[in-house]
Structures are given as C-alpha cells and as structure tokens.
Amino acid sequence: MVDRSAPQEWVGAWSEKRAALTPEREGLVDATTGERFTYADLDRRANRAVRLLREYGVGTGDSVAVVSRNRPAVVDLFFATAKTGSTLAPLSHRLAPPELGELLARVDPTVLAVEAPFAADVASALDEGGVDPAVLTLGSDDGDALDGFREPVPYGDAVPADDSSVETPPVAPEDPHLLLHTGGSTGTPKETVLTHEGIVWNSVNTITAWGLRDDDVTPMVFPMFHTGGWNVVTVPLWHMGGTVVIAREFDPGQVLSVIDEEGGTVLVAVPAVLRMMTDHDRWETADLSQLRFAKSGGGPCRQSVMETWWDRGVDLSQGYGLTECGPNNFAMPDGWPREKADAVGKPALHVDARIVDDDGDPVQQGEIGELVLRSPHAAAGYLDNPEETAATFGTFVATGDLAREDADGYYHIEGRKKEMYVSGGENVYPAEVEDAIADHPDVEEVVVIPVPDDQWGQVGKAVVQGDDALTLADLRGFLDDRLAGFKHPRHLAFVEEMPTSGPSKIDRQAVEAQFGEE
C-alpha cells in the first residue's frame, strides 16, 4: 500500500524534470521585452533564485512575498520556493498600503520582492504592517526609481551565477506552496493556503477536463497575484510542457498579436477582457485559426460577446472556479449545444458538485441552492483564520454561489448567495436580471443591486454603462417578454465606466456603495 504521507518533491521537482524531458521547449515568453525562456533556462534561473533565497535564510516553512506585475523573476520565485519547501505569497499591487500592510503582517515574509513602480506604497505598507523582511527590488521597464526602502537589493544583481542543480528538501502533500488572497469584496482579503497536492490535482483536473496538450500556447492575461495567473492555465501548461506568454500590462491588441504571431491555442480571460478584444481594431484581421478554445471566467459572459467569438470560429464557453477550490471545476462536454452557453458545464473528472439548501441538504434538480464542491484540489483553508476556515471548508467547500442543475446535468451559476434579494416575497437573482438587460443594444455592462422600497421591501436598481438616453420605461418595456414583472428594475442609473477589482472584474461592492440607497 502506498503511503501518501511519505515526503516527495512535488511541485519542487517540476522545473528540473521539465528541463530533463523537454529542455529546448519554450516554457515562458516575455512579450514586454521579447525574451524567451526554455524549460532548461527556467530551471537554471530557479536554481539561482534558490541560492539567493538561502542566502537570506529562507527554508522549509518560510514565506516569500512578491508585489509585482507579471515578469520572469516572479516565475523564478514560484519554482524556487517550491524547491526550498517555502511558500510564495504574491500580493496585489492594486491594494492600498493599509490593506497591503495587513496582508504582509499575516504572511510575515522572510523576503519581499517588489517591483519598482510600487516601491513607495510597499514601503508604507511595511510600516503599516510592522514587518521588516529583506527587500529585493525587481527592475522596471519604464525607468521608475527604486525608492522608499532603507536597503533595497536589486534582484538581478543579487542572484548568484551558479545555476547548477540544488538539493531540495522533501515535502508532504499537505505542505503549503502558494498563499493567494481572495478578491476582498468583504473587507481585507483572506490569504488562502494552497498545498502542493492541491496544485497538482487542479493541474490534473484542468488537463483532463480541457484536453491541454504539450504544444499549447497561451497569452496570460490574469495578474500573477490572482489564482487565474497561476492555476487557471499557467501551472497546468507547465505541467504539460506548453508555453505561457506574459506581459506587464494587458493590452487587447497585444493579446491578439500574441495569438496571431505565437500561434496561441488556448485563451482564458474574464468577460470584460474578451469584450475589449472584440472591440479592438485588430479583431477582424488577427489570425485566430490556431485557437482551439477560449474560456470565460470570473463572472457571466454576455451572449453577444460569445456570439462574436463564435463568428470567428472560436469555441468559447464559460468556466467556473474560485481561489478556495480549484479554480477549475467544470468542463463543457464534447459537442455541447449553443443553447447551453449560459452554463459552466458538468463537473470535472475529480470534482464532486452538489447544490444544497440552507440546511446543507441537496435540493431537487432544477431548484436553486448553494453550490458546494469537493475535490483533492481544494485549498487547505485560510491562513491564521480558523473561524472563516471552519465556515467555508469542510467535507465540501462552501462557494457562496447560487446554482442550479438542469435536466441535462449542466450547472448554471445564478449569482452570489449574498446578492440575492427578496422583493414582495419573491426571490430575485441579480445575475438573471443582468443577463436579460445586457441583451438591450444600448447596454454595454450592467449591475443590478437591491434598494429599499416602502411597498415591496426591496426592488432592483439597474446601474448601466451604455447610452444614457435609455429610459427606465424603455428598459422595462424591453424586459416585458423576458422577465416576470417583480424582477424588473424600478430604478436606473448610469456610469461612464464600471469600477473594477481584481483582474478586470466588476467591483459590485463599489457599485452598491455609490448607488445602493434611494
């Protein structure tokens, strides 16, 4: 009988084994600088980074934090922390210093790597958090000064020249490797603990569900402080020996160029990114013929956007995941019908999915309840947060998302449990209303939020990015044959552009804060 607890190298062996199996295959391309790295290059860079971390005393159980855009040094640290048995904690450069300081205090890194443009904010965050790690500064592509630190050490100058193989400590499957913070929609983000085993199993689930291949190439449009930047497709592709193309900033034209010029075969992005690509001047001329499929995640993708991709011959479908589990949990079956476009598919090979009521009991097929998931790729919990861990992680992971399973076994996400509101005794699910409103030709983006009402308790308010000549009466008339009357919004507001949080995701909390009171 195999002892699953017996220590192995797990993710710490990946770059070395890839270098042995496919040394000349390119694993990483930096579209910002044009640099290209084979798997042999990546392993040599990781070995140099291991030696640097050990000079600073980083070993098993220690943490390395990084505040940076997507760049090769962050990849070095991913493999190097796996090799040293330590954890990598990528932190969002979009957070305010107090938020960043709280996360730094929680992670308590031995070493912090920070990219130049964010030096001042990170210096303030260190003061806020009361932590004092060794600081490595990552070079800047646009000449920003490396200021704000007492004794910053340039990463590129500090890494040793020796890139030969290093000894790696054994790790157990339950040992952590990544600390990824949540989106922070309810206060300061929580740090989610991802283990070696969970990373491996998510990779297996993704490869088997999506049919990833060793010749796949993807432009990475998620930031590497987000689970999308690592576990959606980057790590699974490295597992297979594919190629990941990164850049400092997202530019829809550049992504189209990467797909065209690099022979991109796989694309995963949030709906806003997919829409921006279709609106770009290069959309009609870019060669998308090698793109085997595209996935939308992070929120519902509008039918009109999906149809635009389908018209270019791209198999675009929706996915579903979360930092706490996966993030890849579902797949669309072969030959899926277009009328299932609003579904996220069926559970992946090593995922159990259930839809339950408030008591945790399964609901009848077709009924809406909370989606709960069970898989060996689930996270271990939240760092130093036993109460939230107990509330979310058990036999199943409580996602907080409402879902239903249709008669054909497809799962449909109906919105966040906390977003549902009751109007005149009827449950209203904003995602359903938003999907209907988004079909209006004058609407680009929409968020529906509840506001108080003397008669009905709560009613909906549609906050629209689009043509502000649209009236509430026109909108309700448009919805007459699409939604029951109690679901129609009773108020309408406009924004020039939706606020966002995370990787181009609409910040619903910001919308509610601005428009939630009548």
Side-chain angles (χ1 to χ4, degrees):
M1 183 174 181
V2 176
D3 180 5
R4 291 181 66 256
S5 66
Q8 303 179 40
E9 294 172 288
W10 290 87
V11 180
W14 278 11
S15 65
E16 182 177 11
K17 289 186 176 181
R18 269 282 144 231
L21 294 170
T22 54
E24 299 307 314
R25 187 178 296 164
E26 289 180 344
L28 184 71
V29 176
D30 187 347
T32 299
T33 64
E35 293 177 286
R36 313 178 79 88
F37 305 92
T38 66
Y39 280 102
D41 294 331
L42 292 179
D43 189 54
R44 286 192 289 265
R45 289 175 63 95
N47 291 337
R48 295 177 68 198
V50 166
R51 290 183 167 87
L52 176 61
L53 294 181
R54 285 178 173 163
E55 287 180 6
Y56 284 97
V58 175
T60 302
D62 293 321
S63 294
V64 175
V66 59
V67 181
S68 174
R69 294 170 296 180
N70 297 356
R71 56 187 311 132
V74 181
V75 176
D76 298 347
L77 294 173
F78 173 85
F79 287 121
T81 49
K83 283 174 178 276
T84 56
S86 55
T87 58
L88 179 66
L91 304 177
S92 172
H93 53 76
R94 298 169 181 162
L95 295 173
E99 298 171 306
L100 197 53
E102 188 172 335
L103 288 181
L104 283 167
R106 195 173 303 158
V107 170
D108 192 19
T110 303
V111 171
L112 167 64
V114 57
E115 192 182 12
F118 317 114
D121 281 348
V122 173
S124 297
L126 289 173
D127 290 337
E128 294 272 357
V131 291
D132 188 25
V135 175
L136 300 171
T137 53
L138 306 180
S140 173
D141 301 309
D142 48 17
D144 288 285
L146 299 173
D147 58 3
F149 297 109
R150 185 172 60 255
E151 295 179 355
V153 177
Y155 173 85
D157 296 340
V159 287
D162 187 354
D163 60 11
S164 60
S165 296
V166 295
E167 290 188 12
T168 57
V171 297
E174 65 273 14
D175 284 345
H177 177 226
L178 281 177
L179 300 177
L180 295 180
H181 59 72
T182 58
S185 60
T186 54
T188 302
K190 297 181 286 291
E191 285 288 349
T192 309
V193 181
L194 277 63
T195 66
H196 282 257
E197 182 177 33
I199 293 169
V200 170
W201 272 108
N202 175 73
S203 182
V204 170
N205 267 329
T206 306
I207 291 166
T208 55
W210 295 357
L212 295 183
R213 307 187 315 212
D214 59 6
D215 60 349
D216 275 328
V217 177
T218 190
M220 175 45 53
V221 299
F222 291 93
M224 284 180 163
F225 59 74
H226 187 272
T227 188
W230 295 107
N231 293 317
V232 164
V233 70
T234 297
V235 173
L237 274 188
W238 284 338
H239 203 170
M240 287 296 295
T243 305
V244 178
V245 184
I246 62 172
R248 303 297 173 272
E249 305 290 347
F250 165 73
D251 176 78
Q254 184 186 50
V255 177
L256 288 167
S257 296
V258 167
I259 294 172
D260 188 338
E261 297 164 11
E262 298 286 345
T265 59
V266 174
L267 173 67
V268 188
V270 297
V273 165
L274 294 168
R275 179 176 56 78
M276 283 188 277
M277 291 175 68
T278 65
D279 290 340
H280 195 271
D281 291 342
R282 287 188 56 93
W283 174 251
E284 296 295 338
T285 58
D287 183 2
L288 307 181
S289 61
Q290 294 191 69
L291 198 57
R292 296 196 297 115
F293 67 86
K295 284 292 218 182
S296 172
C301 190
R302 308 304 180 201
Q303 182 82 10
S304 59
V305 174
M306 299 188 75
E307 289 174 351
T308 305
W309 282 87
W310 297 341
D311 289 344
R312 289 297 315 273
V314 178
D315 180 21
L316 171 63
S317 61
Q318 303 200 63
Y320 173 85
L322 63 163
T323 308
E324 291 86 345
C325 192
N328 300 323
N329 295 286
F330 293 88
M332 296 300 279
D334 291 346
W336 63 276
R338 289 291 185 251
E339 58 265 27
K340 300 292 188 182
D342 62 340
V344 296
K346 299 183 178 183
L349 199 62
H350 304 288
V351 175
D352 294 329
R354 293 182 184 177
I355 299 173
V356 301
D357 59 22
D358 289 341
D359 295 323
D361 297 321
V363 302
Q364 295 295 315
Q365 191 174 53
E367 293 183 0
I368 294 175
E370 182 179 4
L371 176 65
V372 297
L373 300 167
R374 178 172 60 186
S375 173
H377 70 201
Y382 297 121
L383 181 67
D384 297 335
N385 197 333
E387 290 185 4
E388 290 285 355
T389 295
T392 301
F393 297 90
T395 304
F396 284 80
V397 175
T399 69
D401 285 313
L402 295 167
R404 64 179 174 85
E405 180 187 4
D406 68 23
D408 299 314
Y410 287 77
Y411 281 67
H412 303 251
I413 305 302
E414 301 292 343
R416 294 289 292 168
K417 189 175 182 180
K418 294 179 180 178
E419 292 165 5
M420 187 202 81
Y421 62 93
V422 179
S423 183
E426 299 281 359
N427 292 345
V428 180
Y429 303 98
E432 178 190 16
V433 184
E434 291 162 1
D435 283 344
I437 294 174
D439 288 337
H440 195 287
D442 292 336
V443 175
E444 297 175 19
E445 292 287 355
V446 58
V447 171
V448 173
I449 60 175
V451 294
D453 184 82
D454 291 339
Q455 181 176 4
W456 304 110
Q458 289 180 307
V459 294
K461 183 176 188 176
V463 181
V464 169
Q465 175 184 319
D467 187 346
D468 60 8
L470 177 67
T471 68
L472 181 62
D474 290 340
L475 182 58
R476 295 193 63 187
F478 176 78
L479 296 175
D480 274 343
D481 297 330
R482 291 171 168 81
L483 290 175
F486 69 87
K487 300 178 184 178
H488 289 197
R490 297 298 198 273
H491 303 276
L492 179 62
F494 291 89
V495 292
E496 289 188 10
E497 187 173 355
M498 289 289 182
T500 59
S501 66
S504 301
K505 291 179 65 175
I506 292 176
D507 188 342
R508 301 185 69 97
Q509 189 178 35
V511 174
E512 289 190 25
Q514 183 176 355
F515 297 99
E517 294 295 333
E518 276 299 312

